Structures are given as C-alpha cells and as structure tokens.
Amino acid sequence: MAIILLSAVVVCFGALFLGQAALRLAGAREWNWLAPAVGLSVAMLVAAPTPHVPGRSATVAILLAVLAIAAAAWCLRSPPHRPSLRDLLAALPVAFLALVPFLAAGRGGILGVTVNNDMVVHLTIAESFLSSAAAETFPLPKDYPLGPHALAALLSKGTGAEVDLAFSGLTLALPVVSAWTVMAAARRAPWLGKVVAATVAGMPFLVAAYYGQGSFKEVAQAGLVLAVALSVSGCGPRLGRGRWVPLALLTGGIVSAYSPAGLPWVVAILGLWLAGSFAVQARRGRLHEVPQTVRRELPAVGIGLAVLVVVLLPQARRMWEFVASRDGTGIAVDDIGNLVGRLPGWEALGIWDSPDYRLPASEAFIGGPWSWLMVAAILFGAFWAVRRGRWLLPLAAAAAMLIWKVSDGSQSPYVAAKALMIASPLLLLVASFPLIDPGPRRPRRWQWVLLSMLGLVLFVRVGGDDLRALRFSPVGPIDHSRQLMSFRPLVTDKPTLFLGADEFIMWWMAGVPAKAMALGPTPQVPIRPEKGWEFGQAIDFDTVPVSILNEYEWIVAPRDVAGSEPPQGLQLVRSTDAFQVWKRVSEVDERSILTEGDGAGAILRCSTDHGRAILERGGLAAIRPQPVVVAASGASAGETLSVRMNLAPGSWQLQAPYTSHRPVEVKAPGLSEVLPANLDRPGPRLPIGRITIDRQRPFSLSFHVRDTALAPASSVAIFNYVVATPAGRAERVVPVARACGKYVDWYRPAR
C-alpha cells in the first residue's frame, strides 16, 4: 500500500507545481486552484510521446521529474505562487474516500477486479511503454488515448513500483486533483464551505463508483471538464495574452485521456460562453462593441490555439486514426459493457441507496424526497450563481446533462453512463455554490442557518453514499500476479499455454507469447469433450487435446495435486505456492480419458458397453487413489465456515477452488494455515495444506474470513468444495484389465 500512496503523492505533487508553473508562464501573478488540473494535463501531454523518445520511459521519466522539481522550486520560492496549506487540507475527506476501497480490503492492489476487468488491457498497454518485448506481443493501439497509460508507466519507472500499483496510485490521485480544482470557485469561501464543496463536487456518487471500478479515464475526464467550465467562467487567474493557454492545456489533457470523443464538452461550454456573452452585451446595449472586443481577443486566441496545436502535435496521428477508424465512439449501440441496463438520470444527483451504481435504487428512493431535495439544491445554486455573475456554471451543467441525454438516445447505455458520470460533478458544484461564494455581504442569521443546513445535508448524504459505494469496490490481491510474473524471465519469448481462464494472463505474462485456455467463459483452444468444461470448473492437463500441448514449449498450470498427472514429455521447471511451470522436452503422446468432468479421473466400469470396448482394445491405464470431495459453501468477512470431513488414516493434501475478498484462516487438527485473498476467475483448485490422520473419525475443517473495520457484507469467501488427495501415493500404470473398478486418470489402448 505504501507504494500506491507514494505514486499518488508524486502525481499530486507534479500536478500542483507543473500546473502553477504553466499558469505563471502564461502570466499568472498568484496561485490559482486550476493548477492541479492543468498540471495533470501537462504531465499526460509530456508522457504521451514516450514510445517515440530515445530511451523511452526512462528518458521521459527523468525529464518529467526534472520539470516537476524545477517547477516546484520556482513556485515555492515566490510566496504568491505557493498553495495555501488550509486549502490543500480541504481535500482530505476526498483523499480518505479514495482510500476506502484499500482500507476495506486491508491491502493495495487493482481497483474494481470482478466488477470491471478492463484494467487488464490498460496494464498491458502500460507494460508496452516499459518493455519492447511487451510492445512486440501487445503493440500499442494506434487509435486510443494513451496519456494516463504513459503516465502510469513513468510512475512505475520512477518509483520502482509494479505497474498495477503505480496505476492504482495514479487513479487515487485523480479525485484529489478534482477536489482541489473546486477550490478555484471558492476563493472567498469559508474553509468548511470549501471542504463540503470539494467533497461533494470532487467525488459525487457516480465518480466514486467509477473510481471504485478502476475507471481512471472517466474520472480524469470528469475532473478536466470541471476545470474547463471553471476556466471559461472566470475562475482562473488573471492573465494577459496568455489567458487562453490554460484552456488549451486542459483541452490537450482531455484528448490525451479521453480521445477526441471528449471534445464535445469543451465545444459545448465554449459555445454557451459565447452565446451568454453576446446575450449579456445585448442586455447592456453594447453589441456595437463586439467587433472591437473580438479584434482585441484575437492575439490571445491565437496564442491559445498555437499552444494547443503544439501540445497535441505528437498525438496528431493517433487522433486522426481515432476519427478515421471509428464510427462515433466505436462501441456498438447494443453493447452494455459491464452494466445491467441504462442508468437513470437521477443517479447524477450524487446520491443513490444502492452501493452498486449498476443496480437500481429502491422505488421509494427514485424520484423521491431525497432526489427532489437535490434538484431543489441545484436550482437554488443555479439562481445563486447567476445572481453573482457565474451564469456559465449552471449552463455548463445543463449542457453536460444534454450531452448525456443525446448519448442516452443514440449511443449504447455503456457510453451514456459515462456521460452521466461526467455531468455529475458540475451538477454538485452548482448545488454547493452558495457555500463557496457567499457574496460581498455577510450572510444574515437565517441565511447562515440555511447554508449550514445545506452544507450538512450535502456533505453527509453525498459523502455517505460515496462511502457505501467505495466500501463495495473490490481490490484485486497481488499474490498470484506476483507469482505468475516471476515466470516471465524464464519463459521469455517462447509460446506458452496457461491452463486457466483468467484474462489477466495478458498482463501477468506481458512480453511473452502466452495464451490462456479460456478467457472467462470463452474457450481459446479446443477442449476435450470428455472433460465437459464449463466456466467455473477446474482445468488440468487433460482438459486440452495433446495436439494443443505439442504446440507450446512452456505450460503454466495451477499447482493442483487433485488434477490429472502431467503427460510424459513435460518436465517441471519451477513451482510457487499456487502455480507451476512445465517445459515440453519431447513430443507428448496421445492418451485417452474417461468422461471425468473437472476431476482427475473416473471409475472404469468394465461391465458397461464403453468399458468392455476399452478392455477389448487392451493397453495400459493409470490408476490412482480416488480423492475425497466434500461440498462447502461461503462466509462473509468476520464469519467462520465449518466443513465436516471423514478421512482414512494417512497424509492428505487439501485443496479448494475458492474466491475470497479477504485472507482466510484455516484450522483443523494438526493444521493451521492462512490462505491469501483471491479474486481470480473461479475454478482452479488451490492448495490449503497437508493434514495427517492417525485414525479415522470425523473432524471439522474451519475457514475464518478475516475482517476489517470497513469491510462490507459483500466481502465474502466462497468455497465450492474441499478435495482431499492422498499424499505420497503415486499414480500407477497397470494393464487396463487390472483397472476395472479403479479410479483411472488416463488410458492408452494397445490397438
């Protein structure tokens, strides 16, 4: 967890001072809270061309570090350009909320595993920035925004963190940057008003939900769109001819993080600003001054456009490929991604009584008093903002909701949901505006009471729903990933087959031409019909035909003593707690199996037609003691699951195909082990431990799921069954006639 925090601190530090240095170069004379969003954009713009720079990630990491340190030294030496410590601390509630998934899980790791496994692609892209071998097996996409991936790769290079933890640190920093951005509209606000506004607008419910599933691009886009609205509405620093430079850099950051698909928000906000400015001039009777104003503005606009062109020039080809190769977003209208259905517009109000944003709230809640209270707060905030000349903020929120409505009617629910999430911070900023812009006069007592109640309701209700959603957000453990990644130098560039169904193998074995037997429920290679494999079942050497094994030089498999024995021709090279690497040293001969499902074998019943046919062909059969399988169930964090077993005297290896959000303490007579948390795809039988039975009698095997203070009820451990395999009793090869009634792993007919 420490390396995640370090990565987040590095991102926040760089964003603060790279942004302020950019504003100072543009003409700013004092600190402005647009700096963090501008600095994040600058960091992504510097990182994006990494593949084309000699030395790749190492060179650009050094360059970005030097720029950040120089920017910090330049700004900190000038008191007007230093951020206020009190305002920095106003983002503490958001920082705490961002830590909640990790605190609930009790560890660091990958956000959102099992809710959204898209992170595997992003991690593999980041690995391709770091390694030419990874780039060969997984070339960088030519039509996809890569600013965050490049920045995560630089973090990994600079801090020495594995890329998954660096990515988690980057993602953790994003809502903090958004919370600081809110401060740009709160220069005259009391500190508590800043805290409330930073919390509810920096991380409303939908942003928290997307953050919790590791959706860094959407969270970054929401914060940058918020910064664009604040910049155009006059919340930025007072600048001369460089006044459009912040907008140019923010737009460059949007393209780097979200592709040209992120530009409609910028265009809509600028269009509304132009229309509103004309309306204001018309109301004042000054339309005749517009041509002169435009002429005065042209040099500043030209500078802004020049900056935008320069910063986006390294990504010009990628932008063109995105526009030319995609129909709109490139996502089919009927593709709902990981959603259950379309998201209702109510969800953008920042409150929801379901921890999973994909699921509907109760009927009493949708459109109920809480929702209408939030609508009233937004309308009141819009009135307050217009009265104080900040009319663009409510218009920007309305434009974002209009973009969502258009997306909802023309795009897939998956795309529309992202648009709704991007609109949410703008709506909540408008709702909290009375708290951060009290006006020139001191509020009267009744106004102070009203504003205090508004702030309390916003902070408690929005923050409470954030907390619920973030506790629900799973964090992928790193135990298995580190074991599998340790095999990379061994298998190098040779064809490798992974006997598993987890799509994360793309990242675990980055730089290796590896293939999984299945990706989720979809097989990637032929499967023997006798195994009848379905998603969630165990996979062993007999699950795939021998012809497939002969196509690969290396086989990576679970360390499964209850599975089929490896065929001759495979040599064990390395083992970890949960996995093994086998090298194919010769051609693997064909062998037949019974209808055994996900077990290692089946009983050969010679009295059946099939059994008699096997006997007639003669040959050899491999027999082994039949394992003992006992059904199990599950337990929530803090609970204990007890499984009754009755084993014959001797030593037994215990395994279970379990998944668990938390570590599990296992106890039985003579056995005490702690199983690591595991959120891999279900199916593999994982080791529990070894137990010795002196005399046969029933005993209890207990599984206690460790708890944390913030662990939700959804932090469950599932043990489908426990399998006990006799230890030290090797498989024996006998004539097939002696295998009748025995547990047969495989057989090889003589004819």
Side-chain angles (χ1 to χ4, degrees):
M1 189 62 210
I3 199 67
I4 293 177
L5 290 174
L6 174 63
S7 298
V9 169
V10 169
V11 173
C12 290
F13 175 87
L16 285 168
F17 294 108
L18 286 172
Q20 184 59 26
L23 295 179
R24 190 174 181 182
L25 288 171
R29 297 183 178 180
E30 60 183 3
W31 176 266
N32 186 272
W33 280 106
L34 283 183
V38 171
L40 178 65
S41 297
V42 169
M44 289 191 292
L45 289 165
V46 172
T50 296
H52 311 294
V53 176
R56 296 169 65 92
S57 297
T59 302
V60 182
I62 294 172
L63 172 63
L64 196 55
V66 170
L67 288 175
I69 293 171
W74 188 37
C75 294
L76 290 174
R77 290 180 61 185
S78 175
H81 292 278
R82 298 173 189 167
S84 162
L85 179 59
R86 281 174 56 84
D87 286 355
L88 281 171
L89 296 178
L92 275 180
V94 171
F96 167 75
L97 289 172
L99 286 170
V100 164
F102 304 106
L103 296 174
R107 63 176 177 273
I110 303 171
L111 287 163
V113 173
T114 70
V115 175
N116 183 5
N117 280 0
D118 286 354
M119 180 54 76
V120 61
V121 178
H122 303 302
L123 292 173
T124 309
I125 291 174
E127 290 282 359
S128 296
F129 275 97
L130 292 167
S131 164
S132 56
E136 289 179 7
T137 57
F138 192 90
L140 291 171
K142 297 179 180 180
D143 60 349
Y144 195 78
L146 299 180
H149 309 77
L151 189 55
L154 300 187
L155 275 173
S156 175
K157 197 73 172 180
T159 63
E162 292 290 353
V163 73
D164 56 336
L165 302 184
F167 233 129
S168 292
L170 169 61
T171 308
L172 193 157
L174 294 176
V176 178
V177 169
S178 296
W180 282 334
T181 301
V182 174
M183 299 294 100
R187 283 174 289 189
R188 297 189 300 271
W191 187 76
L192 286 178
K194 294 179 180 180
V195 171
V196 173
T199 303
V200 301
M203 189 179 265
F205 173 78
L206 269 182
V207 172
Y210 269 78
Y211 165 82
Q213 68 174 12
S215 297
F216 58 90
K217 294 191 285 82
E218 292 77 9
V219 175
Q221 172 74 357
L224 293 175
V225 168
L226 179 66
V228 167
L230 292 172
S231 175
V232 178
S233 68
C235 295
R238 296 180 181 179
L239 303 173
R241 291 194 170 185
R243 54 186 170 273
W244 292 104
V245 170
L247 179 62
L249 294 174
L250 291 170
T251 303
I254 284 174
V255 172
S256 299
Y258 208 70
S259 79
L263 293 177
W265 285 270
V266 179
V267 173
I269 291 170
L270 278 175
L272 287 171
W273 174 77
L274 284 172
S277 299
F278 273 104
V280 170
Q281 292 295 86
R283 182 183 177 187
R284 295 174 178 173
R286 297 180 179 178
L287 280 178
H288 62 281
E289 299 178 4
V290 169
Q292 183 179 358
T293 302
V294 171
R295 284 194 296 271
R296 286 200 308 266
E297 199 66 27
L298 284 177
V301 172
I303 293 173
L305 287 174
V307 169
L308 181 61
V309 169
V310 169
V311 297
L312 287 182
L313 196 59
Q315 302 181 62
R317 180 63 181 271
R318 190 174 303 282
M319 294 166 57
W320 169 253
E321 291 287 348
F322 179 91
V323 174
S325 64
R326 294 171 180 255
D327 180 14
T329 61
I331 299 175
V333 176
D334 59 351
D335 184 357
I336 66 171
N338 69 328
L339 301 181
V340 177
R342 65 176 293 275
L343 298 189
W346 296 105
E347 210 160 345
L349 299 178
I351 53 176
W352 206 242
D353 71 345
S354 171
D356 190 339
Y357 79 102
R358 302 168 300 173
L359 301 179
S362 64
E363 293 185 4
F365 183 85
I366 299 176
W370 276 112
S371 297
W372 286 114
L373 177 63
M374 293 303 297
V375 170
I378 292 168
L379 293 176
F380 178 62
F383 169 77
W384 194 283
V386 171
R387 286 287 301 269
R388 281 151 183 79
R390 301 296 186 189
W391 47 266
L392 182 61
L393 293 179
L395 286 180
M401 287 301 290
L402 180 61
I403 291 173
W404 162 73
K405 192 64 178 176
V406 172
S407 298
D408 195 44
S410 61
Q411 301 289 336
S412 76
Y414 184 67
V415 174
K418 298 181 180 185
L420 189 65
M421 188 275 292
I422 292 167
S424 189
L426 289 167
L427 291 172
L428 271 296
L429 176 62
V430 172
S432 58
F433 199 79
L435 303 174
I436 56 178
D437 193 352
R441 298 181 181 178
R442 186 174 182 178
R444 299 176 183 177
R445 179 174 296 179
W446 68 269
Q447 291 176 321
W448 185 89
V449 172
L450 179 64
L451 293 178
S452 299
M453 291 179 60
L454 173 64
L456 183 63
V457 168
L458 288 174
F459 187 80
V460 173
R461 183 72 232 207
V462 175
D465 287 357
D466 286 352
L467 183 63
R468 187 189 302 117
L470 292 164
R471 290 178 63 202
F472 170 81
S473 302
V475 175
I478 65 173
D479 303 81
H480 288 173
S481 66
R482 298 305 182 262
Q483 292 178 45
L484 287 163
M485 289 164 66
S486 71
F487 298 152
R488 285 183 192 172
L490 176 65
V491 299
T492 58
D493 59 348
K494 303 299 182 183
T496 303
L497 178 65
F498 174 60
L499 295 182
D502 206 309
E503 58 269 54
F504 274 91
I505 192 65
M506 295 169 56
W507 167 59
W508 292 334
M509 304 299 283
V512 176
K515 190 172 190 177
M517 193 223 74
L519 294 179
T522 307
Q524 302 297 298
V525 299
I527 295 174
R528 286 191 173 191
E530 296 90 346
K531 298 296 287 189
W533 182 82
E534 295 180 355
F535 179 62
Q537 292 183 341
I539 297 169
D540 62 26
F541 290 100
D542 285 340
T543 306
V544 298
V546 167
S547 59
I548 298 298
L549 296 179
N550 282 322
E551 293 178 6
Y552 294 90
E553 185 166 334
W554 297 94
I555 312 294
V556 178
R559 190 172 183 172
D560 183 7
V561 296
S564 297
E565 285 289 316
Q568 289 185 354
L570 298 183
Q571 177 181 326
L572 179 62
V573 177
R574 184 178 298 174
S575 293
T576 63
D577 291 340
F579 299 97
Q580 295 176 324
V581 177
W582 298 79
K583 181 177 177 62
R584 188 173 61 81
V585 294
S586 65
E587 194 80 4
V588 177
D589 293 333
E590 186 65 63
R591 64 187 192 181
S592 301
I593 61 174
L594 300 173
T595 304
E596 58 188 37
D598 66 348
I603 301 295
L604 175 58
R605 305 190 185 280
C606 297
S607 60
T608 65
D609 291 342
H610 183 56
R612 283 191 291 269
I614 292 174
L615 279 178
E616 288 176 3
R617 290 195 295 270
L620 302 173
I623 62 174
R624 59 190 292 180
Q626 185 172 1
V628 177
V629 180
V630 179
S633 56
S636 297
E639 296 180 349
T640 300
L641 167 69
S642 183
V643 177
R644 294 289 288 176
M645 302 192 75
N646 190 358
L647 301 176
S651 293
W652 297 79
Q653 295 280 5
L654 301 182
Q655 292 177 277
Y658 77 94
T659 58
S660 177
H661 289 257
R662 302 283 300 123
V664 180
E665 298 173 0
V666 185
K667 292 188 180 298
L671 175 69
S672 180
E673 298 287 346
V674 177
L675 305 182
N678 173 46
L679 293 180
D680 298 348
R681 291 289 193 175
R685 290 177 286 252
L686 299 169
I688 293 176
R690 185 166 179 157
I691 188 170
T692 300
I693 304 297
D694 54 359
R695 62 187 178 89
Q696 187 164 354
R697 64 182 185 276
F699 66 92
S700 291
L701 181 67
S702 68
F703 299 92
H704 177 72
V705 186
R706 287 182 175 175
D707 200 2
T708 65
L710 291 173
S714 58
S715 291
V716 296
I718 303 296
F719 292 82
N720 294 328
Y721 60 85
V722 177
V723 57
T725 305
R729 297 173 65 180
E731 190 168 89
R732 291 187 299 130
V733 179
V734 300
V736 73
R738 293 173 52 190
C740 293
K742 301 292 196 304
Y743 191 73
V744 174
D745 185 352
W746 55 267
Y747 65 95
R748 183 173 292 122
R751 58 187 184 276

